[in-house]
Amino acid sequence: MLSREESELLTRAGPGTAAGDYFRRFWLPALLATEVPAPDCPPVRLRILGEDLVAFRDTEGRVGMVDEYCPHRRASLFWGRNEECGLRCVYHGWKFEVSGACVDMPNEPPEYGLDNKVRIVAYPTREYGGIIWAYLGPAERLPELPKLEWARVPESHRYISKRRQETNYLQAIEGGIDSSHSNFLHASVDAFRVTPDYVEKVKNSSNLRARYHLLDRVPRFTVKKTDYGLVIAVRRNAGEDTYYWRLTQFLLPSHTIIPYQKGLSIHGHCWVPRDDETCWVWTMSWNPEAPLSAEEWKTIREGTFVHADVDPVSFRPYRNKDNDYQIDRAEQRNHSMTGIHGFAAQDQAIQESMGPIVDRTRERLGTSDTAIIAMRRLLLQQMRALRDDQEPFAAHHGAIYWVRSASLLLKRDVPFDEGARDLVAAQV
Ligand code: FES
Ligand SMILES: [Fe+2]
């Protein structure tokens, strides 16, 4: 449970708020690079941290990100012409460079000199890992890009998608680090009921997750604070003298890495406030060793797992609350717990069902919410520290993001962090 004041502090992300200032200290995923694919391509709209922006790739290939509204009389630059190293407002022709400088004002006399004085709000961008990142903070605090693994593998080894969710970002992070929901929300009815057929199917399966989730549905949580955020260790009984551990990271301000099983691709998320009541859900799948396989591409295309099918302009999923996420009640009766197709839509449906900003003063948290409690505490502490002029360490140390999630079987007397270190040493 959070107090109303804490909840307000964590969830409001517009300019001048505590969470808003905090997010404005980091590079944030803003656009898929494919949204601005080539020099002088059409501009795109973007809402992020409560601000309406327009992005464009200029003639030189640089990506500009500027206030959507022209400083002259506030027309939208989304309708602008992207031409010869600048975006021109089509109302009266004022033209802006990626830096925000107004370089042409064809309806004003040159001797008036206005074009030297007028600027539009413009934010720095970087193209990195298939994404255009934006920095909306103070110029003198420019952070480092996070050295996340998915951003550094070859393009053929990864797939990135984004979708718009109609909840506050915090609710979405909470869903992402809540390891206990997958046994229910994403389960089949057979898995939930532990039917003999299901037991037969998974008891010797190479899918360790399914096997050990079956044996122990009450995971134990340990959370450790690190310099990048948190490592969340979830323990299940495996054999007589072993535990099955799943290690996931929460990386500031809002990245996660889902536990990795060798041989399969890794998945991660990043959640970025769009405004207080909506967020961008970024989902990354990558294979550190090889290009994504035909099987992996099939799963992505069919939207059965972590990526959703979205409208290519609004990035709103086709399964959304207006059509009840296309729920199939017969499917729910007979096969899956939700009757909703795909993990992404299942997460979105349940998180949106809580309202755009869940009332955290009315929750009853349990031990399975340990990671959520730790994450909120960490973000609150970070946001309050920034208000006291303590800059976030992670924003300026991109190398600390060079970590990987894990799932491992360890003897019961081996602490998970030691076991994980041994695993890394064995792989090097
Ligand atoms: S409103 Fe943009 S040039 Fe006038
Ligand atoms: Fe989920």
Side-chain angles (χ1 to χ4, degrees):
M1 193 173 116
L2 286 180
S3 69
R4 205 162 289 285
E5 181 263 333
E6 289 170 325
S7 183
E8 285 288 301
L9 194 131
L10 277 169
T11 54
R12 306 287 167 188
T17 59
D21 286 349
Y22 188 70
F23 273 90
R24 282 172 176 79
R25 287 298 197 271
F26 292 85
W27 284 107
L28 302 174
L31 299 171
L32 291 162
T34 49
E35 290 179 70
V36 280
D40 295 334
C41 64
V44 292
R45 285 193 191 98
L46 168 71
R47 187 163 170 77
I48 184 169
L49 303 181
E51 297 187 40
D52 290 319
L53 307 175
V54 163
F56 63 104
R57 195 185 287 273
D58 77 1
T59 315
E60 306 285 322
R62 295 170 299 199
V63 177
M65 202 167 280
V66 297
D67 183 5
E68 176 173 351
Y69 305 104
C70 177
H72 176 218
R73 296 225 329 265
R74 312 290 296 158
S76 171
L77 286 166
F78 174 68
W79 308 110
R81 258 181 73 85
N82 187 7
E83 51 163 50
E84 293 145 31
C85 280
L87 186 61
R88 190 182 291 283
C89 178
V90 289
Y91 203 177
H92 313 95
W94 293 18
K95 179 174 166 181
F96 305 94
E97 283 183 344
V98 295
S99 67
C102 181
V103 290
D104 194 17
M105 259 178 196
N107 67 337
E108 290 292 329
E111 63 275 17
Y112 205 53
L114 246 187
D115 50 352
N116 292 323
K117 300 187 193 89
V118 174
R119 296 185 65 80
I120 191 164
V121 171
Y123 295 117
T125 63
R126 297 280 186 276
E127 187 163 353
Y128 170 58
I131 284 179
I132 308 294
W133 299 67
Y135 172 65
L136 278 67
E140 69 283 7
R141 303 268 186 223
L142 198 76
E144 286 185 13
L145 283 162
K147 291 197 165 34
L148 290 155
E149 186 178 42
W150 58 259
R152 297 165 47 119
V153 297
E155 219 178 301
S156 57
H157 293 215
R158 71 166 169 247
Y159 175 74
I160 301 173
S161 69
K162 76 169 191 186
R163 64 183 163 89
R164 202 176 94 183
Q165 177 160 311
E166 284 154 48
T167 72
N168 181 262
Y169 80 95
L170 191 65
Q171 219 152 305
I173 300 181
E174 289 168 354
I177 61 172
D178 161 17
S179 293
S180 80
H181 81 270
S182 60
N183 274 14
F184 309 99
L185 184 71
H186 303 312
S188 66
V189 175
D190 283 354
F192 174 68
R193 287 190 182 145
V194 199
T195 58
D197 279 358
Y198 181 75
V199 173
E200 203 45 47
K201 196 170 93 191
V202 300
K203 79 175 180 211
N204 296 315
S205 153
S206 60
N207 184 343
L208 298 185
R209 182 183 161 275
R211 194 178 338 157
Y212 296 122
H213 278 224
L214 173 74
L215 291 174
D216 184 354
R217 299 213 284 178
V218 187
R220 311 291 152 147
F221 287 77
T222 313
V223 180
K224 278 199 167 184
K225 214 166 143 187
T226 65
D227 45 10
Y228 56 74
L230 302 172
V231 58
I232 301 160
V234 183
R235 193 191 85 193
R236 285 181 167 84
N237 296 325
E240 287 257 294
D241 58 348
T242 47
Y243 287 133
Y244 174 60
W245 288 94
R246 285 168 66 79
L247 310 184
T248 191
Q249 288 90 359
F250 170 69
L251 307 106
L252 294 164
S254 56
H255 302 269
T256 55
I257 311 176
I258 297 170
Y260 167 57
Q261 278 185 215
K262 192 155 174 55
L264 302 177
S265 47
I266 315 177
H267 310 282
H269 286 295
C270 180
W271 295 273
V272 180
R274 184 175 175 273
D275 50 32
D276 291 351
E277 300 201 341
T278 60
C279 68
W280 295 112
V281 182
W282 289 87
T283 305
M284 299 77 179
S285 297
W286 70 103
N287 186 327
E289 284 146 19
L292 295 180
S293 66
E295 189 60 30
E296 284 164 329
W297 279 113
K298 185 168 174 281
T299 311
I300 290 165
R301 263 197 318 276
E302 292 174 351
T304 46
F305 194 40
V306 286
H307 298 277
D309 290 333
V310 298
D311 175 273
V313 176
S314 67
F315 291 90
R316 191 176 191 223
Y318 290 124
R319 293 181 180 83
N320 58 53
K321 67 179 175 192
D322 292 345
N323 56 28
D324 291 333
Y325 310 90
Q326 300 177 2
I327 188 170
D328 177 339
R329 294 289 187 184
E331 168 75 15
Q332 185 180 34
R333 189 166 305 115
N334 302 313
H335 301 294
S336 76
M337 289 294 283
T338 58
I340 295 171
H341 179 81
F343 283 24
Q346 293 160 5
D347 282 327
Q348 184 141 353
I350 216 66
Q351 290 166 22
E352 290 180 349
S353 78
M354 301 155 86
I357 305 181
V358 65
D359 183 354
R360 293 182 175 82
T361 64
R362 301 176 64 186
E363 303 169 322
R364 296 286 299 273
L365 301 182
T367 58
S368 64
D369 300 306
T370 304
I372 291 170
I373 295 166
M375 177 276 295
R376 291 177 184 173
R377 195 175 298 148
L378 175 65
L379 280 180
L380 272 173
Q381 182 196 37
Q382 292 271 311
M383 289 170 188
R384 286 178 171 144
L386 181 61
R387 292 219 140 161
D388 293 337
D389 292 327
Q390 266 172 268
E391 292 295 318
F393 176 85
H396 299 279
H397 296 83
I400 62 177
Y401 289 78
W402 186 236
V403 290
R404 190 187 284 174
S405 59
S407 52
L408 52 167
L409 270 176
L410 294 176
K411 292 278 181 221
R412 291 195 175 193
D413 57 354
V414 178
F416 75 84
D417 38 4
E418 237 172 66
R421 256 198 308 277
D422 294 347
L423 178 84
V424 173
Q427 283 177 357
V428 170

